[in-house]
Amino acid sequence: MAAAVEISLPNGLKYSQPTGLFIGNEFVPATGEKFAVINPATNEEVITLPGASEADVDKAVAAARRAFEGEWSELAAVDRGSFLYKLSELIDRDRKLLASIDAFDNGKARHTYTDALEGDIDESYNVFKYYAGAADKITGRTIETSPAKLAYVLQEPLGVCGQIIPWNFPFMMLAWKVAPALACGNTVVLKPAEQTPLSALYFGKLVVEAGLPAGVVNIIPGIGSVSGKALAGHMDVDKIAFTGSTNTGRAIMKSAANNLKNITLECGGKSPSIVFEDADLDQAAKWCHSGIMYNQGQVCTSTSRIYVHEAVYDDFLKRFVEITKENARVGDPFSSETWQGPQVSQAQYDKILSYIEEGKSSGARLLHGGSKHGSKGLFIEPTVFADTTEDMKIIQEEIFGPVVAISKFSTEAEAIAKANDTSYGLAAALFTEKISKAHKVARKLQAGMVWINSSNDSHFGIPFGGYKSSGIGRELGQYALDAYTQSKAVHVNLGSRL
Ligand code: NAP
Ligand code: MG
């Protein structure tokens, strides 16, 4: 057995953190390279954890395969749903602890800790509940092909699903991936991000408590280029579901090609907001601000480019800077005063600061922020650039931090062309009080999700995913049931003619 570690969280909560790997309903030692878990608010190491080696990945996949072929496949769908419901209840019971673990490990502030109980963990609870109800409603169709023949379609699970998740919504990404996969009758091997392994390992305890058969859920923290790569290339894994950067998505697609795995990729974005001259500017500024600054700017759908009609450009900038100032309460994620916590890691912090320098040297007008915040921890000032141009790196590349690029446009066609002028296509927001314009422009935006007079909305019942280099496939809602099943057509001959 791998040893557990007692952790005291900054808000006084104490708990027993499992370590190692969760395989076959046990926490077992890992044999791969060690990695450090840091608290980004102090940039200090909390513990080091051993990561999964290739041999460990083999063990986890074998456990998932045994479970898939054993008891799990014999269960009625309604009983799979009951397990998911039980997990949702345990998540709800531990919501404060889970939210606190993610606040500690990731640096999540406001939306996940202070408002924690309405944030990521409640979403995760709802996701498990939603798929608990969905498990026994996965049906195929019956099609009569002639008076003497019919075919029926079975929606069957894919088998062993490898799931590789990022650090920006540690527990919620687990929920988005694990719940639909199990609802459909698959088993899973999940690799959490190196930066945020704690809540995923804790989830192993809930899996045991919920009484799931051994091997249905396996959790293998580790280094992406070792355990993630081994999982993506494993010949006995049937599907890979990934969320993270587009470059890693590409590498995973290549690794997954060996046995033609089913894949779902949810990758990066550089999502635009368009503010038309007839928008409610107070509302637009409010949504555009949270659209980029929420979660420290570490959101794949963050609206990091804002295009504002020239007639309201100066007015919008004034309001946007005011809201940024009001919410520039950067600091301790556990303080109720804090709006913005630290960035997740030194690497992300350095990368964001280098983009800020790049923005300054490329001639963008700095309206707010522009440097690190404080002397300890990985804090960065919310940074607002105006008068940006399409050739600038800060307009073209995903920064994944609290940095926004704002520029103006004159015509609707120009706004749409600029919004679509990127290799990404995850999301887009538009602000107007004209209903016909809103729907017309929504159709022209190359994005998997469009928000009208809002930003960053997602819901467990609504498909989530991107166009272009932002990904392949959709998560959540009924769409995830398609992503985690395959159809089998059974042809039935009722007559006697060939
Ligand atoms: P990343 O490298 O794409 O990491 C995402 C996940 O993939 C992690 O679990 C990672 O493991 C794993 N991974 C890394 N290399 C792999 C490989 N060769 N094969 C299989 N799995 C692999 O993202 P990151 O380095 O954490 O962040 C870099 C950038 O990604 C960010 O700046 C941001 O632009 C983007 N990002 C996007 C999202 C999103 O929601 N779309 C989320 C996070 C990051 P390790 O943790 O061990 O590396
Ligand atoms: Mg951490």
Side-chain angles (χ1 to χ4, degrees):
M1 288 293 274
V5 178
E6 297 307 309
I7 291 189
S8 296
L9 296 169
N11 57 350
L13 279 181
K14 290 186 173 59
Y15 77 106
S16 178
Q17 172 66 49
T19 67
L21 311 170
F22 181 70
I23 298 179
N25 277 5
E26 286 183 355
F27 290 97
V28 297
T31 61
E33 201 180 317
K34 287 193 166 176
F35 62 95
V37 175
I38 65 142
N39 169 4
T42 57
N43 204 13
E44 284 164 358
E45 194 173 302
V46 180
I47 44 172
T48 56
L49 286 178
S53 63
E54 278 189 37
D56 294 330
V57 174
D58 285 343
K59 277 187 209 153
V61 171
R65 177 60 60 192
R66 277 195 301 278
F68 180 69
E69 287 172 359
E71 198 183 335
W72 193 238
S73 66
E74 299 299 320
L75 273 184
V78 70
D79 295 328
R80 288 201 305 270
S82 299
F83 279 122
L84 290 172
Y85 195 78
K86 180 76 185 155
L87 282 169
S88 78
E89 288 184 316
L90 295 174
I91 290 166
D92 192 38
R93 182 196 68 190
D94 289 353
R95 64 213 288 254
K96 184 159 190 200
L97 176 61
L98 284 165
S100 307
I101 295 173
D102 275 0
F104 179 59
D105 201 5
N106 169 284
K108 277 177 174 282
R110 186 173 183 264
H111 291 272
T112 43
Y113 181 68
T114 313
D115 293 341
L117 307 179
E118 292 140 30
D120 293 18
I121 308 303
D122 275 358
E123 164 78 7
S124 307
Y125 161 65
N126 281 324
V127 168
F128 272 92
K129 255 194 331 184
Y130 179 91
Y131 287 106
D136 60 355
K137 296 167 195 70
I138 300 166
T139 55
R141 290 185 177 185
T142 303
I143 304 153
E144 205 176 54
T145 52
S146 81
K149 286 187 176 177
L150 61 83
Y152 60 88
V153 180
L154 297 172
Q155 282 306 115
E156 297 192 331
L158 294 163
V160 175
C161 298
Q163 305 186 316
I164 300 174
I165 59 172
W167 41 260
N168 53 344
F169 293 87
F171 196 77
M172 200 173 96
M173 288 296 103
L174 173 152
W176 282 25
K177 295 226 173 352
V178 171
L182 299 191
C184 295
N186 302 283
T187 58
V188 305
V189 178
L190 175 112
K191 193 203 90 64
E194 225 176 287
Q195 295 83 351
T196 53
L198 300 184
S199 58
L201 273 175
Y202 183 86
F203 179 69
K205 297 216 284 194
L206 303 186
V207 169
V208 173
E209 199 177 336
L212 269 81
V216 170
V217 174
N218 305 277
I219 299 158
I220 53 161
I223 314 283
S225 55
V226 179
S227 52
K229 192 173 173 201
L231 193 58
H234 204 290
M235 291 301 282
D236 204 27
V237 169
D238 302 294
K239 178 185 176 95
I240 283 287
F242 164 78
T243 299
S245 63
T246 295
N247 273 342
T248 306
R250 270 191 205 102
I252 284 176
M253 215 170 157
K254 282 188 192 150
S255 304
N258 52 5
N259 60 339
L260 285 192
K261 287 180 186 67
N262 178 305
I263 50 173
T264 307
L265 303 177
E266 202 273 280
C267 299
K270 191 72 187 175
S271 300
S273 286
I274 305 175
V275 181
F276 287 103
E277 63 277 27
D278 50 33
D280 175 333
L281 284 192
D282 275 334
Q283 284 294 315
K286 184 184 93 178
W287 286 107
C288 285
H289 170 265
S290 71
I292 174 64
M293 301 302 177
Y294 162 67
N295 208 42
Q296 291 70 247
Q298 302 168 145
V299 185
C300 51
T301 53
S302 71
T303 40
S304 47
R305 300 179 288 144
I306 307 176
Y307 299 104
V308 186
H309 191 273
E310 59 191 0
V312 293
Y313 185 66
D314 291 336
D315 196 353
F316 177 86
L317 287 181
K318 194 167 141 277
R319 291 172 207 234
F320 191 89
V321 171
E322 267 167 28
I323 293 176
T324 306
K325 274 193 185 137
E326 277 166 30
N327 292 299
R329 300 191 302 275
V330 183
D332 177 7
F334 285 87
S335 160
S336 58
E337 294 303 307
T338 298
W339 204 92
Q340 186 186 310
Q343 308 308 133
V344 73
S345 66
Q346 184 75 49
Q348 288 298 120
Y349 173 86
D350 292 343
K351 180 177 144 189
I352 296 162
L353 287 176
S354 80
Y355 271 113
I356 291 176
E357 288 315 308
E358 168 73 32
K360 289 178 191 166
S361 62
S362 62
R365 179 157 60 106
L366 182 66
L367 293 183
H368 191 274
S371 54
K372 66 177 189 166
H373 170 92
S375 52
K376 194 173 188 199
L378 302 172
F379 298 97
I380 293 180
E381 292 174 346
T383 296
V384 182
F385 285 111
D387 305 349
T388 48
T389 53
E390 293 307 291
D391 54 334
M392 291 179 184
K393 263 193 176 173
I394 58 165
I395 279 270
Q396 289 299 331
E397 296 178 17
E398 186 179 42
I399 300 174
F400 228 63
V403 183
V404 69
I406 313 181
S407 61
K408 62 174 107 165
F409 68 88
S410 323
T411 65
E412 186 181 301
E414 181 192 346
I416 292 167
K418 284 182 167 171
N420 289 338
D421 182 22
T422 161
S423 58
Y424 294 113
L426 194 51
L430 66 97
F431 296 86
T432 175
E433 293 296 295
K434 282 202 176 157
I435 192 164
S436 55
K437 188 194 291 185
H439 294 293
K440 197 174 101 196
V441 174
R443 287 175 66 92
K444 291 192 174 161
L445 291 170
Q446 294 162 358
M449 292 161 281
V450 175
W451 301 295
I452 296 174
N453 294 331
S454 170
S455 65
N456 264 334
D457 285 330
S458 74
H459 183 276
F460 46 85
I462 307 298
F464 187 103
Y467 280 24
K468 302 199 285 191
S469 295
S470 287
I472 297 177
R474 295 291 177 272
E475 300 197 282
L476 298 182
Q478 300 293 306
Y479 290 74
L481 302 177
D482 290 337
Y484 283 102
T485 55
Q486 53 194 338
S487 22
K488 178 185 282 172
V490 181
H491 293 263
V492 183
N493 181 11
L494 304 171
S496 54
R497 280 185 19 216
L498 270 184

